């Protein structure tokens, strides 16, 4: 693999703009994601954090700007090259996205079977090691429908790291998990990142969990990066927007009320709603 | 995976499909795979074949002995030339046999009825049945009937 | 006024774009076919789900439609004293028209809707994205085997439908209505032509199989990945494929039997 480990950043995003229909999701975003660290991309719901991961993975195409992974422009690769680039990426989807027609074991073995010619017993060893890492070696014969949400996400994590990728992307890993499962996932992400030495990108809006593991944080709002830095730096930041998000205040630059109309004026207006 | 079960069922499905197409071929459309090679062809000229079509029956005393292969115009005599495939085991049609175009029922299909003559020699591949009787055409019959009435 | 014209223009463009995407999907998944070794077990599994599991509904409907044809044909033909022709009528109707068309309609309802819902659900649960990120092309892994399975299963189902229907017609005519068995089959054999009728019926069934599977898979692949989107896509599959089958049937019939 042509990994030149010299450069500081592994993913380099320059001047990225993307829109869905008429809605602009990103406006001229610049980002450098450092190699071998845990980077978190945070922001309120609907700011396109998941979209950003899909752009990095080459599943979506930006309007302008470019995304380079190890110097390769993702959106200039041929379909073939793109698929081989993706062998070096693992992605943990929000829903887990396990293949429902395969057992846990087959799910984890799937990327290995597709991309390597390893003999079956060797694949078995790798799969069992990965499942052991997420603590689910005993669940290998279960089907995805028999797993709890937290277990499904751990299996998906084992699948995402089965080929020892250079980059692992986590899409909202903590959403909808109970505190114990959240704690397990935080521990796993940190441990796996340390053990495998890859780059982790976490997209999340769970402040506590993310702050506890991220080395570097980008804060997205309104289609661009409003702040970036270490967790400590962001906590000290006293920009209104950053403070509102980091401390979870209900009202601020992101208003509590959807519309700006004055309530009294609205109440006293006599027009019928369908006029 | 119940892969074995799936394999068996798909195999069963394929067999069922093959049996069905064979059934359609042999039982429904009457396609014959064998015994074609023993068949021989004889010809007959008819003044008028009426509604005779290819693949119509050729019978001897009502028993099917072959089928009509093709119908053309004999350009020399300007009459219909009918080629018939006769089963190979029917080797007793004498050279003076006669052929008639008959109708099954009032509105049924038309077919050829062959009656055997008295000669010793039998028809061979490519030979002609000389003695033929054309199909009854309803308009001709009515015409004849009226003509007779008038002349009487 | 101008707004309405704009709406019409937009929906036309949407439809064209969707037709283009469906063509692209078909092209990519069939031309860029995966290696046979990977493909074969997947194909087998899909033939099982699409073809084998549709057998029961096909056999039951075929039997009843054949029996109804036998009864109706008899009551009409007996007025003309040619009730022996009932076999010929049942066989020709089934082989030329009813077997391909009714099988295709049942196929759209039974297998087509299931295909759409399955692929739509895979999309909604990010399984398709997940395959892409693992570096596997979902067009090859998910779409191609399903397309091929549909293409293969549909003619087989239609042939089985025709045979079972003719059997049902024979059962009614011979056992119940008392038509002489020999003349039933002989009349049928004299009038049904293998290449003209049976093969043309099979060709029809194949064309319908291609169209229905294509619509079903595309609607699933292109649906809005929400529960509402999936249900709409499933409805569209059944409506579009039924209309396409009936329309195409007219065109094919005109081409095949129109000059007789």
């Amino acid at each position: 693999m042509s990994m030149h480990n010299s450069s500081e950043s592994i993913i380099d995003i320059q001047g990225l703009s993307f829109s869905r229909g008429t809605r602009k999701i990103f406006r001229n975003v610049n980002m450098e994601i450092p190699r071998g660290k845990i980077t978190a991309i945070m922001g309120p719901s609907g700011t396109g954090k998941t979209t950003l991961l899909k752009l990095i993975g080459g599943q979506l195409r930006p309007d302008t700007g470019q995304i380079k992974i190890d110097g390769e422009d993702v959106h200039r690769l041929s379909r073939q090259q793109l698929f081989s680039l993706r062998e070096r990426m693992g992605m943990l989807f929000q829903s887990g996205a396990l293949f429902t027609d395969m057992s846990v074991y087959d799910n984890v073995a799937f990327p290995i079977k597709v991309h390597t010619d390893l003999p079956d017993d060797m694949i078995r060893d790798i799969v069992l090691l990965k499942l052991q890492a997420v603590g689910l070696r005993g669940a290998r014969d279960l089907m995805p429908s028999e797993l709890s949400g937290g277990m499904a996400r751990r299996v998906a994590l084992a699948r995402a790291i089965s080929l020892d990728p250079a980059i692992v992307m986590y899409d909202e890993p903590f959403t909808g998990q109970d505190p114990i499962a959240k704690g397990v996932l935080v521990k796993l992400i940190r441990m796996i990142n340390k053990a495998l030495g890859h780059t982790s990108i976490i997209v999340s809006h769970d402040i506590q969990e993310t702050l506890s593991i991220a080395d570097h944080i980008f804060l997205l709002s309104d289609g661009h990066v409003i702040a970036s830095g270490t967790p400590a730096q962001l906590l000290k930041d006293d920009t209104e927007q950053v403070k509102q998000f980091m401390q979870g205040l209900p009202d601020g630059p992101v208003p509590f009320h959807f519309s700006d109309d004055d309530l009294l004026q609205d109440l006293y207006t006599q027009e019928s709603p369908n006029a | 995976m119940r892969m074995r079960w799936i394999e068996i069922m798909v195999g069963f499905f394929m067999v069922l499909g093959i049996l069905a197409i064979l059934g359609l071929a042999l039982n429904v459309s009457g396609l014959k795979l064998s015994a074609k090679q023993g068949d021989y062809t004889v010809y007959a000229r008819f003044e008028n074949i009426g509604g005779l079509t290819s693949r119509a029956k050729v019978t001897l005393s009502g028993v099917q002995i072959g089928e009509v292969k093709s119908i053309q115009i004999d350009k020399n005599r300007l009459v219909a030339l009918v080629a018939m495939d006769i089963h190979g085991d029917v080797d007793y049609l004498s050279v003076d046999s006669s052929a008639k175009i008959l109708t099954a029922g009032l509105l049924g299909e038309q077919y050829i009825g062959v009656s055997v003559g008295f000669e010793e020699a039998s028809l061979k591949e490519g030979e002609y049945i000389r003695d033929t009787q054309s199909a009854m055409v309803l308009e001709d019959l009515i015409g004849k009937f009226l003509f007779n009435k008038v002349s009487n | 006024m101008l707004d309405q014209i704009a709406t019409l223009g937009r929906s036309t463009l949407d439809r064209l774009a969707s037709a283009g995407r469906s063509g692209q999907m078909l092209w990519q998944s069939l031309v860029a076919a995966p290696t046979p070794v990977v493909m074969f077990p997947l194909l087998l599994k899909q033939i099982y789900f699409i073809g084998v599991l549709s057998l029961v509904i096909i056999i039951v409907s075929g039997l009843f439609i054949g029996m109804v044809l036998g009864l109706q044909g008899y009551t009409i033909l007996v007025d003309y004293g040619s009730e022996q022709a009932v076999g010929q009528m049942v066989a020709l109707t089934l082989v030329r028209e009813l077997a391909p068309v009714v099988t295709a309609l049942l196929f759209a309802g039974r297998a087509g809707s299931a295909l759409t819902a399955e692929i739509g659900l895979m999309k909604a649960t990010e399984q398709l994205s997940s395959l892409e990120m693992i570096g596997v092309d979902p067009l090859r892994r998910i779409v191609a085997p399903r397309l091929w399975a549909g293409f293969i299963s549909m003619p087989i189902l239609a042939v089985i439908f025709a045979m079972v229907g003719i059997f049902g017609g024979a059962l009614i005519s011979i056992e119940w209505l008392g038509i002489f068995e020999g003349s039933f089959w002989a009349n049928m054999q004299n009038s049904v032509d293998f290449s003209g009728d049976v093969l043309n019926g099979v060709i029809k069934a194949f064309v319908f199989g291609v169209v229905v599977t294509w619509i079903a898979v595309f609607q699933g692949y292109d649906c809005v990945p929400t529960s509402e989107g999936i249900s709409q896509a499933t409805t569209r599959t059944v409506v579009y494929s039924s209309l396409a089958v009936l329309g195409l049937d007219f065109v094919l019939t005109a081409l095949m039997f129109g000059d007789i």
Side-chain angles (χ1 to χ4, degrees):
Chain A
M1 286 183 199
S2 62
M3 292 268 167
H4 31 95
N5 289 308
S6 52
S7 76
E8 182 81 345
S9 63
I10 186 164
I11 299 178
D12 187 7
I13 301 174
Q14 292 298 334
L16 178 76
S17 297
F18 181 79
S19 51
R20 271 225 163 99
T22 53
R23 206 164 75 88
K24 284 211 175 294
I25 295 180
F26 296 118
R27 270 171 284 183
N28 196 22
V29 169
N30 296 306
M31 239 183 230
E32 284 188 12
I33 294 175
R35 184 184 300 278
K37 299 272 176 58
I38 300 180
T39 302
I41 297 167
M42 306 190 72
S45 305
T47 45
K49 302 185 296 292
T50 305
T51 310
L52 184 64
L53 290 189
K54 290 199 167 172
L55 283 164
I56 294 175
Q59 290 184 296
L60 295 174
R61 198 162 263 283
D63 299 340
T64 55
Q66 57 182 9
I67 299 175
K68 284 187 173 171
I69 298 178
D70 265 325
E72 287 182 286
D73 188 337
V74 175
H75 301 282
R76 283 174 188 270
L77 297 178
S78 70
R79 211 174 158 80
Q80 205 61 46
Q81 289 170 313
L82 186 61
F83 279 120
S84 77
L85 173 70
R86 285 176 183 160
E87 286 175 42
R88 289 182 272 149
M89 293 186 201
M91 180 149 168
L92 180 68
F93 284 87
Q94 190 169 352
S95 60
L98 294 176
F99 303 128
T100 40
D101 56 343
M102 294 182 195
S103 69
V104 165
Y105 177 91
D106 288 325
N107 260 288
V108 180
F110 181 76
I112 312 176
K113 282 184 185 159
V114 170
H115 289 300
T116 67
D117 294 324
L118 294 177
D120 279 352
D121 52 341
M122 208 183 255
I123 292 179
R124 189 183 130 87
D125 292 350
I126 298 175
V127 172
L128 292 187
L129 283 175
K130 301 293 177 191
L131 282 174
Q132 173 73 12
V134 298
L136 289 176
R137 192 164 46 85
R140 61 175 176 258
D141 293 326
L142 297 181
M143 295 303 282
S145 55
E146 298 168 295
L147 301 174
S148 72
M151 283 161 84
R153 226 165 276 194
R154 278 149 74 188
V155 174
L157 177 57
R159 186 180 68 184
I161 60 169
S162 62
L163 283 172
D164 293 331
I167 303 168
V168 180
M169 297 189 275
Y170 301 88
D171 184 8
E172 305 278 8
F174 311 116
T175 309
Q177 300 292 314
D178 63 58
I180 304 172
K182 275 188 196 175
V184 169
L185 281 166
V186 167
K187 176 175 163 271
L188 275 175
I189 293 172
R190 190 189 290 135
M191 188 190 82
I192 288 170
N193 190 70
K194 200 165 284 176
L196 300 178
H198 57 228
T199 307
S200 299
I201 304 169
I202 299 175
V203 153
S204 179
H205 49 230
D206 290 272
I207 299 169
Q208 289 307 320
E209 289 76 17
T210 313
L211 285 182
S212 68
I213 48 172
D215 297 313
H216 195 85
I217 296 177
F218 289 96
L219 204 52
L220 280 180
S221 183
D222 277 339
H224 48 254
V225 180
I226 54 167
S228 72
T230 62
Q233 283 171 331
L234 282 195
L235 280 174
K236 270 185 248 155
D237 195 309
D238 53 4
T239 322
E240 283 292 319
Q241 276 179 305
V242 179
K243 253 166 71 179
Q244 190 197 359
F245 182 78
M246 298 302 279
Q247 295 167 19
L249 305 175
D251 208 352
V254 177
F256 173 73
H257 291 291
F258 176 70
S259 124
D260 294 324
D261 293 359
D262 187 57
L263 173 66
L264 277 180
Q265 200 190 334
D266 224 3
L267 288 177
Y268 283 113
T269 315
Q270 293 296 318
E271 57 175 337
S272 81
N274 296 329
Chain B
M1 267 330 316
R2 311 158 298 149
M3 205 59 205
R4 179 109 191 109
W5 170 250
I6 288 175
E7 280 170 3
I8 293 170
M9 288 310 285
V10 172
F12 174 71
F13 178 59
M14 293 290 174
V15 169
L16 214 60
I18 292 167
L19 284 182
I21 191 87
L22 278 182
L24 286 182
L26 301 179
N27 226 347
V28 175
S29 63
L31 195 74
K32 285 176 194 66
L33 295 178
S34 57
K36 271 275 179 204
Q37 58 269 53
D39 290 6
Y40 63 99
T41 310
V42 298
Y43 298 90
R45 295 193 186 85
F46 292 94
E47 290 282 337
N48 191 331
I49 56 160
L52 191 74
T53 58
S54 58
R55 302 198 67 248
K57 290 191 286 191
V58 176
T59 62
L60 176 64
S61 308
V63 180
Q64 185 169 0
I65 57 165
E67 63 178 43
V68 173
K69 189 179 169 191
S70 67
I71 301 172
Q72 285 159 330
I73 289 283
D74 183 337
K75 293 214 173 88
N76 297 326
R77 306 191 188 187
L78 294 179
V79 290
L81 178 64
V82 175
M84 290 169 272
D85 271 339
I86 307 294
H87 299 163
D89 53 349
V90 183
D91 53 1
Y92 36 75
L93 298 181
S94 61
V95 286
D96 61 344
S97 298
S98 63
K100 279 186 216 176
I101 295 181
L102 302 168
T103 310
L106 188 58
L107 297 166
E109 288 203 37
Q110 289 187 303
Y111 64 98
I112 294 181
V114 177
S115 355
V116 180
F118 303 102
E119 291 281 340
E120 286 287 309
S122 53
L123 284 168
K124 297 273 166 357
E125 164 78 31
E127 292 184 333
Y128 284 79
I129 296 178
R130 314 259 166 215
D131 181 9
T132 64
Q133 187 178 328
S134 289
M136 301 274 203
V137 178
L138 209 57
E139 289 85 338
D140 287 354
L141 280 181
I142 294 170
K144 265 183 202 159
F145 177 71
L146 288 177
F147 185 72
N148 286 343
K149 277 272 173 186
V150 171
S151 61
N152 283 346
Chain C
M1 184 61 192
L2 216 57
D3 275 358
Q4 281 156 350
I5 292 177
T7 314
L8 180 68
R10 192 163 50 241
S11 76
T12 311
L13 284 180
D14 281 352
R15 248 156 237 187
L16 280 179
S18 148
R21 284 199 305 278
S22 72
Q24 198 182 12
M25 182 202 78
L26 189 71
W27 175 257
Q28 281 178 354
S29 47
L30 294 185
V31 174
T35 47
V37 185
V38 182
M39 176 88 165
F40 190 70
L42 293 172
L43 179 65
L44 220 56
K45 215 165 131 185
Q46 290 310 320
I47 293 181
Y48 177 78
F49 285 121
I50 293 173
V52 176
L53 294 186
S54 306
L55 261 183
V56 174
I57 188 173
I58 291 297
I59 289 177
V60 172
S61 337
L63 193 67
F64 279 113
I65 285 183
M67 296 198 312
V68 168
L69 277 179
L71 269 177
Q72 291 283 15
Y74 180 83
T75 52
I76 294 167
L77 290 172
V78 80
D79 289 346
Y80 303 97
S82 39
E83 64 269 22
Q84 280 83 5
V86 71
Q88 151 186 2
M89 200 206 84
V90 168
L92 282 181
T93 333
L94 274 171
V95 167
R96 286 183 179 179
E97 287 297 333
L98 285 183
V101 171
V102 176
T103 310
L105 296 180
L106 293 172
F107 186 75
R110 164 70 186 70
S113 58
L115 276 179
T116 306
E118 189 195 13
I119 296 180
L121 209 61
M122 280 184 172
K123 191 176 183 186
T125 55
E126 296 177 306
Q127 292 184 51
L128 294 185
S129 289
S130 175
L131 271 175
E132 276 187 13
M133 287 307 297
I134 288 173
V136 175
D137 190 344
L139 285 179
R140 295 184 178 190
R141 173 115 197 152
I142 303 293
V143 171
R146 284 167 174 76
L147 284 174
W148 282 114
F151 298 175
I152 295 170
S153 302
M154 184 47 215
I156 298 181
L157 289 172
V159 167
I160 293 174
F161 185 98
M163 200 58 232
V164 171
I166 289 169
F167 176 73
L171 203 69
I172 285 291
S173 313
I174 297 166
E175 301 298 328
W176 190 10
L177 301 172
I179 290 170
F180 179 57
E181 190 175 352
S183 58
F184 180 87
W185 291 111
N187 259 322
M188 191 188 286
Q189 289 173 3
N190 278 333
S191 56
V192 180
D193 183 40
F194 185 71
S195 60
D197 297 317
V198 178
L199 284 190
N200 273 341
V202 174
I203 291 171
K204 268 189 182 179
F206 177 74
V207 173
F208 296 161
V210 170
V211 171
V212 172
T213 324
W214 183 15
I215 290 176
V217 170
F218 175 71
Q219 288 298 342
Y221 192 73
D222 202 53
C223 76
V224 181
T226 59
S227 44
E228 198 191 9
I230 293 172
S231 81
Q232 281 171 353
T234 313
T235 311
R236 273 204 302 274
T237 293
V238 177
V239 174
Y240 288 0
S241 9
S242 307
L243 290 179
V245 164
L246 295 172
L248 264 178
D249 182 49
F250 174 74
V251 175
L252 287 177
T253 306
L255 284 179
M256 288 169 173
F257 306 108
D259 55 338
I260 290 175

